[in-house]
Amino acid sequence: FPASFGEGFRLHGFLMSASTPLPLRVAIIGAGQVADKVHASYYATRSDVQMVAVMDSRLEQAQAFAERYAIPSAWQDAHEMLQEVKPDVVSVCSPNRFHFEHVMAALEAGCHVMCEKPPAMTPQQADEMCIAARKAGRVLAYDFHHRFALDTQLLRDAVMNGTLGEIYFTSAQALRRCGVPGWGVFTNKSLQGGGPLIDIGIHMLDAAMYVLGFPAVKRVTAHSFQRLGNRKHTGQFGEWDPAQFTVEDALFGTIEFCNGGILRLDTSFALNIREQSIMNVSFCGEKAGATLFPAHIYNDEAGVLQTLTQREEADDRRHQRSMDAFVRHVLGESVMIADAEQGLVIQQLVAALYEAAETGESVTLC
């Protein structure tokens, strides 16, 4: 684990020189849904950003994407695109298996990079990416967008100010009753790296770790199951082939911190629960407790719940705030991003959870 893992939250990242010319020239790798709905949609709102190229392994999809956003060139090979176009910034929105290759190529080409989660397929790859960004003096950020919600910032400030006291139990949930994605490669372990843990659970894990200040981890235990996804074929997000369902459909893990606290993580694509979906984190401290979405801080007085702080609605501009922080950071502003070092920590935890679930034994990390 990197030295910063047990030292609490610190702002990392690399700032771009103030002399960098504008507009920023952006290329997008992967012309799928997240590239469309998040990355390109955000870049299109800025006058100081120009999308100059898009690449996808399916050239027709890249060409359609380019036409939709008036992007001047479409490519089928990322390396050729980087060599010919020479962008300043690259958004990596390709399947998980290709994050490492595409991020490393972009960094080698001298680009700043915003990469979708997870950072990579393994901690070793995430570590190499972190080192490469540091050596290149370029920004490498990951789109862990839930940490950018106003709710998350409010709770992070409350934790730093001691409002909750020492937090000894955290519960993070990313659960779907029957929400197996019916598109893309989400059920293919070789391309995705896993199921709900690496897809949606990783988001609540990052949000929880960010609020807690990235405390040092002592031990990880976990159990995973494949009981529904390989038997059913239709759900909230369309159809899938149960014979090709090679990921877990649920994983439950416990992360023990060196300070004595624990974080319980529950995540599923398919689980027989009442709610259709649960995406939230709860924190229990000695002075008060809190729920993340919407942010609510409370305690008990003589058996009666007392609200200390509460937002009426959860902030739904998380993706925009994440992208905005990345661009501002590239332009030289000292703003928080989900950077390469913290991305490495999250990747290490995901790997430890999968290892513990596969072996049935706890994984010691310190």
Side-chain angles (χ1 to χ4, degrees), residues 155 158-159 164 280-285 288-292 294-298:
L155 291 196
V159 169
L164 277 68
N280 220 326
V281 184
S282 296
F283 304 89
C284 299
T291 304
L292 186 53
H296 185 191
I297 303 175
Y298 40 78

Side-chain angles (χ1 to χ4, degrees), residues 125-314:
Q125 290 180 339
D127 190 27
E128 287 187 48
M129 294 154 73
C130 182
I131 294 170
R134 188 182 301 119
K135 286 183 176 179
R138 292 295 181 263
V139 177
L140 171 56
Y142 299 110
D143 189 23
F144 288 120
H145 57 277
H146 292 285
R147 70 156 70 181
F148 292 90
L150 295 177
D151 308 79
T152 313
Q153 297 300 318
L154 187 155
L155 291 196
R156 174 62 188 151
D157 291 343
V159 169
M160 291 185 67
N161 295 335
T163 301
L164 277 68
E166 182 179 347
I167 298 172
Y168 53 89
F169 176 67
T170 301
S171 174
Q173 294 184 304
L175 300 170
R176 294 175 182 165
R177 186 175 65 232
C178 195
V180 178
W183 66 91
V185 297
F186 291 97
T187 63
N188 185 325
K189 186 175 182 180
S190 65
L191 294 177
Q192 187 74 356
L197 170 59
I198 207 167
D199 181 43
I200 56 176
I202 197 171
H203 276 303
M204 292 300 101
L205 176 60
D206 176 77
M209 290 294 289
Y210 172 72
V211 170
L212 293 171
F214 279 84
V217 172
K218 180 180 180 181
R219 185 183 298 112
V220 171
T221 58
H223 296 82
S224 65
F225 299 90
Q226 191 189 73
R227 302 292 182 86
L228 301 178
N230 59 345
R231 295 166 53 194
K232 304 177 73 171
H233 60 82
T234 307
Q236 178 186 353
F237 300 124
E239 298 183 355
W240 67 93
D241 182 356
Q244 301 298 318
F245 189 94
T246 58
V247 299
E248 83 280 3
D249 51 39
L251 184 144
F252 311 97
T254 300
I255 298 169
E256 300 177 40
F257 298 119
C258 294
N259 63 15
I262 65 171
L263 189 162
R264 175 73 180 179
L265 176 65
D266 301 332
T267 183
S268 70
F269 276 164
L271 188 68
N272 283 318
I273 56 176
R274 183 182 65 180
E275 299 86 353
Q276 186 176 75
S277 175
I278 304 172
M279 292 283 286
N280 220 326
V281 184
S282 296
F283 304 89
C284 299
E286 293 178 335
K287 295 181 179 178
T291 304
L292 186 53
F293 297 126
H296 185 191
I297 303 175
Y298 40 78
N299 60 14
D300 179 88
E301 185 173 327
V304 178
L305 183 70
Q306 305 292 319
T307 292
L308 306 181
T309 303
Q310 184 173 14
R311 283 177 51 85
E312 293 302 319
E313 295 183 358

Side-chain angles (χ1 to χ4, degrees), residues 102-116:
H102 290 150
V103 168
M104 294 294 281
L107 291 172
E108 185 177 345
C111 305
H112 302 277
V113 182
M114 167 60 99
C115 180
E116 275 301 315

